[in-house]
Amino acid sequence: MPDEPPEDDSKMQGQIQVDENGSRNDEWSICLQQIGQTQCRASFERLFAHFAPLVKAFSMNGSAVSIANAEELVQEVMIKVWQKASAYNPQKAAASTWIYTIARNSRTDMFRRLRKFDTPLNAEDIWEEDTGDAPFIAVQERRNALQVKELLKTLPHEQAQILAKVYMEGKSHSEVAQELDIPLGTVKSRVRLAMQKLQIQVEK
Amino acid sequence: MINYHPDSRMLNEFSAGSLPLAQSACVSLHLNYCSTCQRESRKLQQMGGMLFERLAPCEVDASLLDSVMSRLDEPAPLTYEAKTTATDESPALMRRLMKGGYKDLEWDRINSGLQISRLHTGDVENEFALYHIKAGRTIPRHTHKGTELTLVLEGSFSDEEGIYQRGDFLMRDAEHEHTPTAAKSEDCICIGVLDAPIKFTGWNYRALNPFLSLQAH
Ligand SMILES: [Zn+2]
């Protein structure tokens, strides 16, 4: 083993690993793929034990959602995970990202339902499934994903805190500004700084 | 070639799900045309996934697993497949909002060069409307109240600051004064999302100065 040079240096960093086909081979991406291919209930139970508590945390994060609603959301999300698992493509996203988007979509739809929004749209119309060329995306972006994960750990608290409020609590920049009692411009510039640090912003 | 994009705040709020529905629909349509923003929003989604992974887990009631396991055989709702039945080339989201072609919509005729059709998105705080500007015609000089998002769907228009083509996304605030003019070669259809909904106050008023009514107090 020690004499063998690594085939892919991306295997050396972070927890998300990507093989030479650009496919994720971390524990949960493999597990999710198995569920999609074989409808394996035992694998689903394992996935549930890991992700359901995260989905619940996400559901309750910073919002006025009751525990009953949060648990309803956990059920909804986990059933969708089961139903859509065969569409999961590990070349496009890590399992955690894929499950996060389902949770985000379901939470957004739930908020609209709770506020009795009368709309012809649901979250899946707004965030359409990616139609991009998967292998191309993987090759181009897998290194970036590993990088983001590492860089995220190095963000100053004031930037990380705002990203958590925006993404996990689902707050707008102005809501965050109000809550932290800082000017909107400060929130915007902290987000922009974080985007630069994480190398997310694309030159336009 | 897309030259005008949503800013960082918009893309972040869009990806996180906190952007109002009508504005989200407008950003989503821009992504249809813009591979650059698609890429950026994919990265933002990945980042969201990483933040999600780092949440402190919140214990779920033991009965929840049983209840989910007992529901696994339920058939998946049809909506998962419903959107692959595209027959024309306009974005799926537009087809869902329009339920037909441009001709089938109800248009409000503002003057001989401009018609507006409001589409129902369910967002009560933001108006989502189609603007049809005849080729070569100008929307009279006006200012907006609040924020206006514009996305070009067909043709192109220009103003004091540039030329905007299909897929271009503009955000203008209240201080902005401009006079959009459609290209001479073809009509321009664009989406306008206003966070201070337009109220028309009557035909006479409208005929006198259509855009006074757009910024009515
Ligand atoms: Zn763009």
Side-chain angles (χ1 to χ4, degrees), chain A residues 41 53 56 61 75 80 82 101 104 117-119 125-127 130 141 145 149 166-167 173 201-202, chain B residues 8 12-15 28 39 42 45 50 53 55 58-59 67 71-73 80 96 120-122:
Chain A
R41 284 174 183 248
K56 186 172 172 186
N61 220 298
Q75 291 199 43
K80 275 189 192 160
W82 171 262
T101 58
R104 174 202 60 187
F117 252 61
D118 166 28
T119 173
D125 298 315
I126 298 289
W127 293 292
D130 214 322
E141 294 177 8
K149 198 173 169 95
V166 171
Y167 280 82
H173 286 33
Q201 209 135 42
V202 179
Chain B
S8 168
N12 272 287
E13 290 187 357
F14 170 77
S15 301
S28 172
R39 205 169 128 217
R42 250 190 335 260
Q45 216 152 278
M50 290 164 192
E53 260 180 335
L55 285 173
C58 188
E59 207 186 324
S67 141
R71 291 176 56 192
L72 292 187
D73 294 323
Y80 293 160
R96 176 154 298 215
H120 173 74
T121 63

Side-chain angles (χ1 to χ4, degrees), chain A residues 121-149:
Chain A
L121 303 175
N122 56 43
E124 291 185 14
D125 298 315
I126 298 289
W127 293 292
E128 270 192 81
E129 288 278 320
D130 214 322
T131 50
D133 181 13
F136 177 71
I137 289 168
V139 169
Q140 215 184 28
E141 294 177 8
R142 63 187 183 181
R143 191 178 300 271
N144 191 272
L146 297 167
Q147 234 173 29
V148 170
K149 198 173 169 95

Side-chain angles (χ1 to χ4, degrees), chain A residues 69-148:
Chain A
N69 279 331
E71 298 210 324
E72 189 192 316
L73 201 68
V74 173
Q75 291 199 43
E76 195 183 306
V77 170
M78 295 314 292
I79 288 169
K80 275 189 192 160
V81 167
W82 171 262
Q83 289 171 338
K84 302 176 100 184
S86 60
Y88 169 66
N89 181 346
Q91 289 188 322
K92 285 187 181 174
S96 53
T97 301
W98 191 79
I99 293 171
Y100 156 70
T101 58
I102 292 179
R104 174 202 60 187
N105 290 5
S106 303
R107 185 172 77 176
T108 312
D109 280 340
M110 177 179 251
F111 281 161
R112 295 197 177 120
R113 271 202 312 275
L114 290 173
R115 283 184 298 172
K116 309 238 185 315
F117 252 61
D118 166 28
T119 173
L121 303 175
N122 56 43
E124 291 185 14
D125 298 315
I126 298 289
W127 293 292
E128 270 192 81
E129 288 278 320
D130 214 322
T131 50
D133 181 13
F136 177 71
I137 289 168
V139 169
Q140 215 184 28
E141 294 177 8
R142 63 187 183 181
R143 191 178 300 271
N144 191 272
L146 297 167
Q147 234 173 29
V148 170

